Each structure stands twice: as C-alpha cells, then as structure tokens.
Amino acid sequence: REVSLSLPTKNSDVDSFLKKTPKNFVVLNIGARLIEKQLTPDEYEEVIHTIQESGFVPILSYGPTEYSLAEKVASNTDSQLAPPTNLLALGYLMSKANAVVTCDTGPMHLAVAMQTPTFGIFVSTCPKRFGYSHPPHHALDAQAGWRSEFQDELRQWLRVQAENDAS
C-alpha cells in the first residue's frame, strides 16, 4: 500500500536542532501510546547501539507521554533527544532523516508518508496487516518477544539504507 503526504514546511526549532546534528542520522521513535506496543528501555538501548554500529547518529523522538522514557534511554546511551515536536514538526524531522526506526505507532505511518525508509517493529500487532514491507520499508514481527537476532535484521536493513544514501 502506498502512503504519501506533501513534505511539511520548515520548522525553525527542528532546523536549529539539525544545524547541530550530523547529516547521517536515524530517528528512533521512542514509546507508543499503548504500552504493549513499546519495547523495554533495555531493548531501545540495544536498537540505539545497532544504529550507532551501522554508522548513524540516533536521534530520539517522543510524544508528550513518552518524554521520561526517552530521557531515561538517552541518559544511558550516546544518543540525542530531538526537540519537542507537534505532528507537522515531527514529519519535517523524519523527512530529513536517513531512516526511521519505530514501533507500530502513528509516527511509523507518518514516516512512511514522508517517504523516509522506515523499519517498523511490531511488538503486539500484526505486521502483515499494519506494516509496510515494500522497499525501502521493513516490518519486523516481534510479537513473540524481542530476540537478539532482530539486531542483525536491523543492522542489515541499515546497511542497505547507507548504501542507498551513498549512491
């Protein structure tokens, strides 16, 4: 299924943040409105390490109710918190990213609509029903629990994104 929106207009808060951010960054959207759709803090930290090992800078986005989770994860890793955003500013941030990694949330659909390569992690919902598996997107089925092999799947997907960015 194809989803597309016109790119949002510039956002001065996001632009100011991006001026201090390396060009090769991946947005990791932290949390979800429903707790059962989220990874644990330790699992988010594993994802951050994989993003870093793949040569990207992890930028953590979050909603108002996920700020404390994002702050906790950021304090335990070498990652950066994005500035607070509304929906349009989040879309703008995602449109500037090399890729987005997120659980099955509204921001996942926004990232796909921004035509940013998106790695969706489905913790409690069906990726075949709600995910995007056509390139450059990927839907990971983690309904049976997070496993370390998922890091390899993410690493391989990020490698493809890096190769596509280089060409």
Side-chain angles (χ1 to χ4, degrees):
R1 101 193 94 176
E2 288 292 320
V3 177
S4 180
L5 293 173
S6 59
L7 293 177
T9 57
K10 290 184 155 222
N11 179 282
S12 60
D13 291 339
V14 172
D15 279 336
S16 294
F17 174 76
L18 291 176
K19 284 179 184 173
K20 301 176 275 185
T21 303
K23 301 280 184 233
N24 61 328
F25 72 94
V26 169
V27 170
L28 172 58
N29 188 70
I30 296 288
R33 184 178 55 82
L34 300 175
I35 291 174
E36 62 268 15
K37 288 187 170 190
Q38 296 180 11
L39 296 174
T40 67
D42 289 342
E43 291 163 346
Y44 281 119
E45 290 173 22
E46 287 180 37
V47 170
I48 287 168
H49 293 301
T50 300
I51 292 169
Q52 291 168 325
E53 290 168 2
S54 299
F56 294 101
V57 174
I59 303 297
L60 309 185
S61 64
Y62 50 89
T65 59
E66 295 97 18
Y67 177 74
S68 62
L69 174 60
E71 190 175 50
K72 177 182 180 179
V73 170
S75 71
N76 291 333
T77 61
D78 186 21
S79 58
Q80 299 178 40
L81 286 176
T85 58
N86 60 27
L87 191 60
L88 292 175
L90 180 59
Y92 182 66
L93 173 66
M94 290 176 162
S95 75
K96 299 296 183 185
N98 296 80
V100 172
V101 178
T102 179
C103 291
D104 175 24
T105 63
M108 178 193 70
H109 301 288
L110 180 61
V112 171
M114 293 294 99
Q115 300 178 14
T116 302
T118 303
F119 189 95
I121 302 170
F122 291 79
V123 176
S124 65
T125 52
C126 178
K128 285 185 170 55
R129 181 170 181 197
F130 299 108
Y132 303 91
S133 56
H134 59 281
H137 312 297
H138 186 77
L140 174 71
D141 188 344
Q143 294 177 88
W146 185 256
R147 298 192 314 264
S148 59
E149 339 34 296
F150 293 157
Q151 297 299 98
D152 293 332
E153 197 168 331
L154 175 58
R155 190 175 292 108
Q156 180 179 0
W157 182 83
L158 287 167
R159 188 174 310 121
V160 170
Q161 303 322 305
E163 290 168 0
N164 290 343
D165 289 342
S167 61

